Structure formats: structure tokens, C-alpha cells
Amino acid sequence: MDIGTRIAHLREQRGWTQEQTSQSLGISRAALSHYEKNRREPDTETLTKFADLFNVTIDFLVGRTNKPEQALDPQVREFVELTEQDPLELSDDDLLKKFALTVDGTELTLDEAKRFIAFIRYERSMR
């Protein structure tokens, strides 16, 4: 199934008109019609808007998968969004307590995680 067919199908599943959908996306109704009829392909920014609006992955929209679900579970998405806003500081105790770090399938204790961070800092200082 091509991009346009998927977009049209997702829109129709929700009972939305092209006008409603295009307004939600901030594009013209004509542009949406061109996308749905495969006369034009959306750019990356517009694909992202479609994925967010329909709560599907870009991979689903472009036909790389038939699974429409978002790949990230809510906790992972929160983590990703947090690190996009500010660099991740692994020495933050709250962060180390909230997200379990594992090595070979075994969760690191808080003390082990702090020693791991200390090792990385030491190794970097030796460069």
C-alpha cells in the first residue's frame, strides 16, 4: 500500500474530511488531496505531522511496516523527549533510580551505576 492510500485510509477511518485534516496539519486541502492521490509525496516535516496526527509511525506511512503502532512505549518516549530538551546527565540520582541500567541482562545497582560513570570520567580524563 502506498503513502497516499495509507493517509486516505487513516483519515477515513476517523471520519475526518480533507478540510478538517488539512487544517489540523497546517497544509492546504489541495496539498492533502495530492498526497492522497500520490501526485506528490510529503516531505519529512509533513510526514512527521501525519504520523503525529494519526498516532502511527513514519515507517507505517511509507510502507516499511504494516504495524501502525508507535514503536516507543510511553516511558521510553518520555525518556527520549527528556533527552531531546536537555542533555542526559547520568550522575543524576533520580534518573538512575527511574531508569534501570543493565549489563548482560543484570540490573546495575545504584552504586555500580555510579562507579561506571566514575570509570568513564576517569577514562576521559586520561585522553
Side-chain angles (χ1 to χ4, degrees):
M1 189 182 303
D2 53 54
I3 295 172
T5 304
R6 286 185 190 245
I7 290 170
H9 181 71
L10 288 165
R11 178 182 60 76
E12 290 165 359
Q13 273 184 325
R14 287 156 178 78
W16 298 344
T17 65
Q18 283 187 337
E19 189 64 36
Q20 291 169 315
T21 306
S22 62
Q23 285 179 357
S24 295
L25 294 165
I27 62 174
S28 70
R29 191 207 53 76
L32 177 59
S33 177
H34 286 299
Y35 296 145
E36 288 186 358
K37 293 180 180 173
N38 293 300
R39 291 185 194 132
R40 286 184 15 200
E41 285 194 6
D43 60 20
T44 306
E45 182 182 337
T46 306
L47 269 177
T48 302
K49 289 179 181 181
F50 277 116
D52 289 344
L53 179 66
F54 294 129
N55 197 30
V56 298
T57 64
I58 291 175
D59 280 347
F60 175 76
L61 288 174
V62 299
R64 290 186 62 196
T65 181
N66 287 323
K67 289 182 166 185
E69 306 89 28
Q70 293 287 348
L72 300 178
D73 65 26
Q75 195 174 32
V76 174
R77 179 172 286 286
E78 176 190 349
F79 179 79
V80 169
E81 289 172 357
L82 175 80
T83 59
E84 286 174 348
Q85 294 168 5
D86 287 315
L88 182 61
E89 180 56 53
L90 285 178
S91 62
D92 180 15
D93 286 344
D94 290 338
L95 182 68
L96 289 172
K97 289 175 186 173
K98 185 171 183 176
F99 297 102
L101 301 176
T102 62
V103 173
D104 298 329
T106 303
E107 188 175 327
L108 298 178
T109 66
L110 188 56
D111 185 55
E112 287 173 327
K114 287 181 178 183
R115 287 196 325 254
F116 175 75
I117 293 165
F119 172 77
I120 297 296
R121 286 184 176 140
Y122 173 76
E123 186 180 62
R124 287 180 178 172
S125 73
M126 297 305 289
R127 292 181 192 165

